[in-house]
Amino acid sequence: MSDFEVRKYVTDILIVGGGIGGLAAAIRARENGADVIVLEKANARRSGLAGSGLDHIQSYIPEFHGKIGYSEEDLSADQFEFGGNPGGLHRKDLTDYFAAHSAADVIELEKYGLKFRFEDSDRPGGFRIVPQFHNVPSSYHFEGRDVKPALAKHALELGVKIFNRQHVRELVTDGGAVTGAVSIGTRDYVITAVSAKTTILATSGVASRLSSGVTNGDTFETFGTPTASAGSGKVLAAKAGAEVVNLEFINLVTGYSFQNYSFTIGFPGGSWWPAGRIVDEDCQVVVPRTRDLPPDDPDYKAKYRELIRHSGEERGKIVPLLLQGKNLYFDLQEATDAEIDYIWWALGHEGKSGVIKHHLASRGVNFKTARFPVRLAGKNAPVLAGLWVKDSSLETNIQNLYVAGNELAGTGMPLPAAGNALVFGFRAGEQAAARAKETDTAADGSGAIIQSLQAQAGEILSRENGDHWFNAEDGLQILIDNNLGKPYTENALALTAQLLQKQRDGLKLSAANLHELSRSFEVLDLYDLAELVIASIRERKSSVGSFVRLDEAKYPAEKYGDSIAVYRKDGKVKARRLSNLV
């Protein structure tokens, strides 16, 4: 069957994506009087990178940070330091905004029934506070396993309309402004067209499916990054003419795995902090456990900065040793009983670690005596990519198109983080609602897009013996892993572009059902994303941070603080330079 029912809606604000950022935007927009529709590819109750839970969320915490002399300015500066790349790629206006608003925005999750305060805490306010992205502890350790159900419930109570299982395929534009979007069902034969005064893009900030996992040859069934992370939001934006920046920074994003589980929270940090340590096969300590500092220490700030610096140096040993073939193990043999109890609690809330907890508990694993072999897992992925915005209004260069959450570029984080998603989600909802009050609904311009989508879906569903999406994605990942994420030359990039085009020209996707159709569309997005990545790499001629050009001497030196923006115009990929020094 390939006949799709077309359903059309009109609203003030359309939000593409129902993760933390999208739902935060929906909540704030609704609180500001706007009618809101959310189109979510999965189910907003358990979708996005936090769909299975979250136990850390970064923020400025006045009760604690004020006591130790840590300011909002310190927090903003630390986001630059931990940003992963030099060269002025971060936006001070955005990191300053986060530092100034996170204190109020993050703790708002308490209103939705999430627990932040604990009787056994020795921190001001009764919080549990741990290090994550900054030079002092700056993340609430909270009970966030159900953060997504809580946000979805609150949004629905406010009257937000959430359409689940809707895969957005194109933004509708008119006269240089976005006027809505068109989606296709992943469970039923429905095409949905929404006309909106303003649109907020709040899709996943990662694009991990460009790579198959270059550090681990056996990745089948690895319990890793959600498979929806195809960078589709960046492709949607670029097709509409919005500027996507920093795609050229393809880094090997490393983590550690045990059996078929990827420990996204990190060894020995994250939920295992401070008691986790790394030892070698002779039980010699490679990375020692750390010790917390009492919050009443008058020199807490200075001492903690040194602790974090030293801990970072120690943990920096892990990846080189694993790449050398050394056998390393994680254990908790120096942990107290109280610390082990705390770790069991944390694992029950930190997303996929809940599955790890169940796996270990069902086998009677004793954390006091267990030793876990550590393998290196990693993928090549753009780690700083996102959409460019004019200022803290979060509007892109395309009128009435806003960015929420982790699709926002320049916030100082090397990878998506929940605090950013929440704070900038609230902000986007507020700003889009204000614009909607002064904007008329444009005429429905979805007709040609609907017709094209119906034809494309029908072709893929009716084709027999074509390319299955999984094999097509695997072929693209091989090309990316072999050619990107390394020092570049213009000749090598030209060859990669030719190979990509040849591979795509020969692609004949087929799908047996709507689920496979949605995956096929994701593969097409991955090919579009790869084209954008190559264009971004070719435009940057000089080495900066993790980006290395072997032939940079052939080109003039570049201005410090420039980002490369890529977008589509008249069907072709364009690139231009933008200054981050806003």
Side-chain angles (χ1 to χ4, degrees), residues 106 112 127 174 211 215 306 332 336 339 366 386 420 424 462 557:
V106 172
Y112 312 149
F127 301 119
D174 180 24
S211 172
T215 63
E306 175 57 24
L332 291 163
T336 65
E339 286 173 327
N366 183 343
N420 284 350
F424 292 114
S462 63

Side-chain angles (χ1 to χ4, degrees), residues 340-355:
I340 288 175
D341 289 342
Y342 186 93
I343 288 168
W344 277 115
W345 164 81
L347 293 179
H349 293 278
E350 177 59 52
K352 295 174 288 295
S353 297
V355 178

Side-chain angles (χ1 to χ4, degrees), residues 407-438:
E407 281 290 14
L408 178 64
T411 57
M413 287 297 169
L415 289 172
N420 284 350
L422 192 69
V423 169
F424 292 114
F426 283 144
R427 178 63 169 173
E430 170 189 294
Q431 292 293 297
R435 173 65 60 79
K437 291 178 181 179
E438 58 188 39

